[in-house]
Amino acid sequence: MNRERRIFPDPEAACEALAQDFITTVERALEKAGRFTVALAGGSTPARFYRLLARSPYRERLAWEKLHVFFGDERFVPPDHPDSNYRMAREALLDHVPIPAANVHPMPTLGLTLPAAARRYETHLLECFAGSPQLDWVLLGLGEDGHTASLFPGFEPPPEAWVAAVASAPKPPPRRLTLTYRTFNHARQAVFLATGAGKAGIVARVFTRPELNLPAQRIAPRERLSWYLDEAASAGLVT
């Protein structure tokens, strides 16, 4: 697995570089394959990235009909709830680009118990990937406690699971669905996007304290792991 860490002056520059690199990655992959699969993250910084992709010139460069969008995690709330990651992605990106509805794969949050919803999404992943989910590209955020997606310190999903139910997350809302380490580490590429001074402490711990075994430190995709940081988030690193 290749690792890279890139630092930019501010969140805008980090997101612009990520948008350019994402488009290049998609273009190169589609030269060899008929589709490109991604898992999106929630949060304010990813929303900035999504809004960039929804604007010219980025929007016109992507073959949206060949992209399939999954989600790294979801709060167990209705899809129109303000806390919904799907709603955020839809309002920032999906409503503004010509992606077919069948290519968007939100996590189910209505009409099911939390464990049943996790099983439903796992079954859907297995069907979409012929029994072995391998996402091409996943976007991840970083919490101040080292969590990523809804994989929190102290929570251990079943090792055989591709999707897990989180019944009592330490931050609201407590009920969530998340892809697991198995799924993220089976992906081809994973990208962390972290900006702002509030992330400086945890970014430094992730890079310098491997013994902590934080959730973000356990992400190891098959081909490439990338970090996109701004100067404020990287202030605790020795460059």
Side-chain angles (χ1 to χ4, degrees):
M1 178 187 66
N2 293 321
R3 298 173 184 265
E4 65 172 349
R5 184 176 75 199
R6 301 182 63 189
I7 299 172
F8 302 90
D10 51 47
E12 291 79 7
C15 289
E16 287 173 2
L18 179 56
Q20 294 282 4
D21 293 345
F22 174 71
I23 290 170
T24 299
T25 298
V26 173
E27 290 174 339
R28 289 175 178 170
L30 289 178
E31 292 175 357
K32 303 176 182 179
R35 71 173 187 174
F36 191 85
T37 58
V38 305
L40 300 184
S44 58
T45 305
R48 188 192 301 266
F49 166 62
Y50 302 155
R51 286 191 291 269
L52 270 181
L53 290 182
R55 300 202 313 252
S56 295
Y58 305 105
R59 181 181 60 224
E60 290 79 11
R61 291 181 57 192
L62 284 165
W64 294 100
E65 73 280 3
K66 296 182 179 180
L67 264 66
H68 280 258
V69 173
F70 297 84
F71 288 80
D73 73 321
E74 183 57 274
R75 289 80 176 265
F76 202 59
V77 297
D80 59 352
H81 191 280
D83 287 336
S84 167
N85 287 340
Y86 167 68
R87 174 180 168 172
M88 184 275 283
R90 181 173 54 77
E91 292 179 346
L93 174 62
L94 301 173
D95 282 352
H96 308 287
V97 297
I99 187 168
N103 290 17
V104 180
H105 308 267
M107 291 181 164
T109 59
L110 291 177
L112 296 167
T113 65
L114 185 65
R119 291 193 296 271
R120 173 79 61 85
Y121 203 63
E122 179 167 295
T123 298
H124 183 63
L125 278 179
L126 292 169
E127 291 171 348
C128 290
F129 291 90
S132 183
Q134 185 173 50
L135 292 153
D136 292 308
W137 190 92
V138 300
L139 180 64
L140 294 164
L142 177 67
E144 294 179 15
D145 60 354
H147 83 267
T148 190
S150 284
L151 297 168
F152 290 89
F155 172 70
E156 197 63 42
E160 73 280 1
W162 299 97
V163 181
V166 182
S168 56
K171 60 182 294 187
R175 298 200 302 160
R176 297 161 178 250
L177 298 167
T178 187
L179 302 185
T180 62
Y181 298 111
R182 182 186 189 190
T183 313
F184 289 126
N185 293 345
H186 204 61
R188 288 188 169 87
Q189 299 183 54
V191 173
F192 279 92
L193 177 61
T195 63
K199 299 295 175 68
I202 187 58
V203 166
R205 289 194 292 278
V206 166
F207 279 95
T208 63
R209 303 270 315 271
E211 75 278 5
L212 296 175
N213 199 33
L214 296 167
Q217 294 172 312
R218 297 172 62 181
I219 302 301
R222 291 196 166 190
E223 295 179 7
R224 180 177 293 275
L225 175 63
S226 303
W227 284 80
Y228 287 69
L229 307 167
D230 69 351
E231 290 180 356
S234 63
L237 298 175
V238 176
T239 58

